[in-house]
Amino acid sequence: MPPKKRPAEEGGNSDDPRKRTTPAAAATPAKSVIASTSGALGAAKPVVKPAPPVTPKAGPVRAPPKPGIRKVGPALANRVKLPAPPVSTVKREAPPPVVTKNTLVWFRNDLRLYDNKALHAASVRAKIGDKRNVVGLFIISEKEWEDHNEAPVKIDFWMRNLAVLKESLGKLNIPLLIKKATSRPDVVKIVESVVKELDISHVFWNTEYMVDEKTRDTDVKNTLTKLPGVYVEELEDQCVIPPKAMISKTGRAFEDFRSFHTAWCNTVEINPHYLELLPVPEANPPEAKQTYAEHLSAAVISSHTHSLDRGEIEKLYPAGEEAALEKLKEFIHSKLMKYDRIRDSPQEHNPLLSPYLSNGILSFRQCVAAARTANKNKILVGNEGVRAFIKEIVWKEFYRHVLVFFPRVCMDHAFKPNTEKIRWSNDDRRFQMWCQGKTGYPLIDAGMRQLKATGFMHAKVRVYVACFLIKDLLINWQKGEAYFMKNLIDGDFASNNGGWQWCASTGVEAQPYFRSFNPIQESQRFDPEGHYIRQWVPELNNLTAKQVHDPYHTLHGKEFGKLA
């Protein structure tokens, strides 16, 4: 059966004007090009009959090319010269050149010369200018400190270190201005006024991760960048690896420490440049000594009122970067290699590096770099003591990672929102007994009395007293968190909040039902001879090593009543 003719073949009108034919033309057999031109060539040639029509194959019909558009293959495209796009005739003004004047470094939680990224950047930028100078600034903001529950003994530690820093900077002809602010808006005004007064072109500071601090810094930055010729640069200094650079393979933030620790160690092992330490800044030109004579000679507040024994506190925590580096050197030399075995011992675990780390007198990089050097430049393998020490630094970085990616923990919220439905006990009498170290459980009382006397508590004991308050007394973890911040010389919001939420099972790596401790059994395991307990609970000095852990079943009622 012959194929069915299409409308165009039957003489109908096709939609395409190029395919329209008349009926007569359709009935006339088509001639080949050779036949139609034979007369012109002067020689008769045979007529070539047209080929029979081909039955179209089944399948999709391609649309005809659009008029005026021709597809060019790759080979032809190389030979076709396409028209150039129109060139704009609008003249764009070149950005104004960056002019370097004096530079300002805003000190906060980083009172040190060595390995300070903001200070180093300010020094490098100042050298670009013609005899330009670095200027330091520190703002005393007691209202902010009070709102954040900063401990008086911690503020005193800041002031003592600030005095040492001012003296050290003075030897480099770098003035350190110390201003007082009564509110957050005052902070913005102070920084702006210093920039205008001292002809500052570049302002540097190291990033802080808490929500309030980030808001404050944004306000300052927005104000300064509106000033002509003023530039602001924030640097990532607190962590070895910036928090936003630590992302899981799925592109999300880490929520468990084990994965974070593994990724952190692998990253530093492969990229040791993270541990490169920065030198002390270069000195200002000699003329700066005369230019800033008034600021260099200004008195500085070198203390803050607190209720502890000042002589004992200054002996335990001497101020200054050199004192901190000396403590680090001593720890690396005598305790690092056995740290995994002694860190839980109440007698041995006393390097007291924590106040210097939490307050920025030492950097995390300095500690990890020193430990890595002692471990033959290895992070993943080697001495277990070194790895245990580095792991504690990584915990601090992990909790900062949590602050950045889950900022709700900075705003009085639990990491796990569903745990905010827990109904806690409001027994204030029991809470006060816990605060005073009068619970009747010797290990708990020893830890709380150590805190009250020295502003410090053994790391392992912090876990015991926190779990006791939360899991035994059923008191809200936030009350304990705030009490620690109000009393710890090494109070660090990220680690303190993270630690309390870990104990309360409301934070990362929560273990709801079995993260609790028997205070008597843990006392026997932690302090078998009772030395730590007797040091801070002298009422138990006459008890044996066995009795000292459970005085309730040893002492008479009245005698035990003196303890609780």
Side-chain angles (χ1 to χ4, degrees), residues 378-510:
K378 296 295 182 181
I379 295 288
L380 293 171
V381 297
N383 182 270
E384 291 298 323
V386 174
R387 297 176 65 191
F389 176 67
I390 291 176
K391 189 174 183 178
E392 291 198 358
I393 302 294
V394 181
W395 267 110
K396 294 178 180 291
E397 296 215 358
F398 176 59
Y399 284 136
R400 282 159 174 74
H401 176 89
V402 172
L403 287 190
V404 171
F405 287 99
F406 307 96
R408 64 177 177 269
V409 301
C410 299
M411 298 177 280
D412 293 326
H413 289 295
F415 177 82
K416 293 186 175 297
N418 63 313
T419 61
E420 294 182 348
K421 299 177 183 179
I422 297 174
R423 288 182 292 180
W424 300 101
S425 168
N426 294 316
D427 192 332
D428 189 63
R429 183 182 68 88
R430 288 190 171 188
F431 177 69
Q432 293 302 325
M433 291 171 61
W434 176 84
C435 293
Q436 299 300 320
K438 290 185 174 295
T439 66
Y441 289 91
L443 180 61
I444 306 302
D445 293 345
M448 297 305 295
R449 294 187 191 188
Q450 181 188 18
L451 173 62
K452 190 176 180 180
T454 67
F456 182 82
M457 187 190 298
H458 190 287
K460 191 71 173 180
V461 182
R462 296 186 196 196
V463 175
Y464 295 146
V465 301
C467 287
F468 181 82
L469 179 73
I470 299 164
K471 301 292 176 67
D472 292 279
L473 301 184
L474 303 180
I475 293 174
N476 192 336
W477 62 270
Q478 292 171 314
K479 296 186 70 173
E481 177 204 17
Y483 183 80
F484 266 32
M485 284 299 296
K486 291 177 182 178
N487 289 275
L488 283 170
I489 194 171
D490 63 342
D492 165 50
F493 178 83
S495 296
N496 189 56
N497 178 275
W500 274 92
Q501 293 216 49
W502 185 91
C503 293
S505 302
T506 63
V508 291
E509 297 197 329

Side-chain angles (χ1 to χ4, degrees), residues 93-396:
E93 296 183 1
V98 176
V99 178
T100 300
K101 300 179 181 178
N102 297 320
T103 62
L104 178 71
V105 54
W106 180 12
F107 288 97
R108 289 95 73 86
N109 200 39
D110 49 5
L111 303 180
R112 64 181 186 275
L113 295 184
Y114 293 92
D115 195 39
N116 186 322
K117 289 190 176 182
L119 179 58
H120 181 263
S123 177
V124 170
R125 170 55 67 173
K127 298 301 174 285
I128 297 176
D130 182 18
K131 293 185 178 180
R132 295 300 182 177
N133 302 300
V134 179
V135 177
L137 172 67
F138 184 85
I139 300 176
I140 297 174
S141 185
E142 294 189 0
K143 181 64 171 61
E144 279 189 287
W145 298 346
E146 181 182 349
D147 291 343
H148 292 170
N149 294 324
E150 302 291 5
V153 68
K154 179 182 176 182
I155 298 175
D156 176 72
F157 190 60
W158 286 345
M159 296 300 102
R160 291 192 288 120
N161 280 280
L162 190 64
V164 176
L165 177 64
K166 179 177 173 62
E167 181 181 354
S168 300
L169 288 170
K171 294 177 181 178
L172 301 174
N173 298 328
I174 299 176
L176 177 61
L177 284 65
I178 301 174
K179 304 286 186 178
K180 282 190 174 184
T182 57
S183 64
R184 184 186 297 168
D186 276 357
V187 173
V188 180
K189 293 177 182 177
I190 287 172
V191 179
E192 182 182 16
S193 66
V194 170
V195 168
K196 292 179 177 179
E197 177 188 347
L198 299 181
D199 196 25
I200 303 294
S201 65
H202 292 75
V203 182
F204 300 86
W205 64 69
N206 292 319
T207 300
E208 292 188 308
Y209 302 122
M210 288 78 77
V211 169
D212 287 346
E213 282 74 0
K214 289 173 70 175
T215 302
R216 175 202 64 197
D217 292 351
T218 299
D219 292 342
V220 173
K221 186 173 185 177
N222 290 340
T223 299
L224 294 182
T225 51
K226 292 177 182 178
L227 302 176
V230 176
Y231 305 87
V232 173
E233 186 172 349
E234 297 181 75
L235 295 105
E236 292 282 355
D237 180 77
Q238 280 194 31
C239 297
V240 174
I241 305 176
K244 290 187 177 180
M246 286 294 295
I247 302 295
S248 68
K249 293 181 180 180
T250 61
R252 303 179 62 183
F254 287 97
E255 297 185 34
D256 69 288
F257 176 73
R258 179 178 295 181
S259 299
F260 181 89
H261 177 247
T262 300
W264 189 98
C265 290
N266 287 330
T267 302
V268 176
E269 185 82 9
I270 298 171
N271 304 283
H273 69 270
Y274 279 118
L275 298 177
E276 292 177 359
L277 304 180
L278 298 172
V280 173
E282 294 185 30
N284 279 343
E287 296 82 0
K289 194 170 186 178
Q290 180 63 33
T291 304
Y292 303 109
E294 181 180 351
H295 298 301
L296 289 168
S297 61
V300 59
I301 301 174
S302 59
S303 64
H304 184 81
T305 303
H306 60 80
S307 60
L308 308 186
D309 185 326
R310 181 167 295 277
E312 184 66 19
I313 293 300
E314 293 182 2
K315 180 180 177 181
L316 284 173
Y317 323 109
E321 195 171 0
E322 294 300 329
L325 290 171
E326 186 60 33
K327 281 183 173 289
L328 176 60
K329 180 180 178 181
E330 178 186 350
F331 172 73
I332 295 293
H333 176 72
S334 62
K335 297 182 179 180
L336 176 65
M337 294 300 178
K338 54 183 178 180
Y339 186 69
D340 59 315
R341 302 189 301 275
I342 68 172
R343 62 178 175 176
D344 289 341
S345 169
Q347 283 74 40
E348 293 292 339
H349 182 79
N350 197 31
L352 296 182
L353 291 176
S354 183
Y356 299 94
L357 280 168
S358 298
N359 294 291
I361 316 303
L362 284 175
S363 73
F364 293 175
R365 286 181 300 278
Q366 287 174 304
C367 293
V368 176
R372 178 176 177 269
T373 300
N375 197 37
K376 299 180 181 180
N377 295 325
K378 296 295 182 181
I379 295 288
L380 293 171
V381 297
N383 182 270
E384 291 298 323
V386 174
R387 297 176 65 191
F389 176 67
I390 291 176
K391 189 174 183 178
E392 291 198 358
I393 302 294
V394 181
W395 267 110
K396 294 178 180 291

